[in-house]
Amino acid sequence: MHPVLRYTLTVVGMTTDSQAWVPESCTLPSGQRPLRLAEFDDLFATALLAQQRLSPTELRWRLDATAEATARDLIGRESSCCSFFSFTLAPDTGTLRLDVQVPAAHVDVLDALALRAAAGTTA
């Protein structure tokens, strides 16, 4: 069993036509944002089993356990460009639990992420 890991997550490029919600602290070049978005879309489409809103500032995702390496890689790379989101990734009864948190000032960004993830849920 893997230990609980804490990372920083920044999700960029919710849409390819509007980057208005992306925080100024994001250092991912604008041209790479649609590519990163496609990676998150793929993770949602292939591994996201469920999503739960724990509070206005926190989401919980249940991912297929077979996506662990993909999720760790994607989140690790994403954390290198910005520390806007924080999350906890941990094994949980045959699945992975990914808790995503944002500061209260950025609930709108988490809302956009939740909508994007809900559109790709596999369950």
Side-chain angles (χ1 to χ4, degrees):
M1 185 169 259
H2 293 282
V4 173
L5 298 175
R6 298 235 5 121
Y7 291 91
T8 300
L9 167 69
T10 301
V11 178
V12 295
M14 280 302 164
T15 65
T16 56
D17 60 337
S18 174
Q19 300 296 318
W21 64 270
V22 177
E24 290 182 23
S25 60
C26 177
T27 62
L28 188 67
S30 295
Q32 291 181 16
R33 292 175 184 174
L35 300 174
R36 185 66 54 86
L37 175 60
E39 290 182 88
F40 275 101
D41 284 346
D42 186 56
L43 181 66
F44 297 150
T46 61
L48 183 62
L49 302 172
Q51 172 172 244
Q52 179 183 11
R53 191 67 175 250
L54 301 176
S55 74
T57 61
E58 187 172 8
L59 279 175
R60 174 167 288 160
W61 291 334
R62 298 277 179 194
L63 301 174
D64 186 302
T66 62
E68 182 174 1
T70 300
R72 287 180 189 277
D73 175 60
L74 179 57
I75 291 165
R77 286 183 291 114
E78 185 67 15
S79 69
S80 71
C81 65
C82 187
S83 60
F84 182 69
F85 286 85
S86 66
F87 67 93
T88 303
L89 181 65
D92 190 20
T93 317
T95 66
L96 292 174
R97 183 185 72 238
L98 179 59
D99 291 341
V100 183
Q101 295 178 309
V102 298
H106 297 292
V107 168
D108 57 335
V109 177
L110 192 62
D111 291 343
L113 179 59
L115 288 172
R116 188 99 192 170
T121 302
T122 62

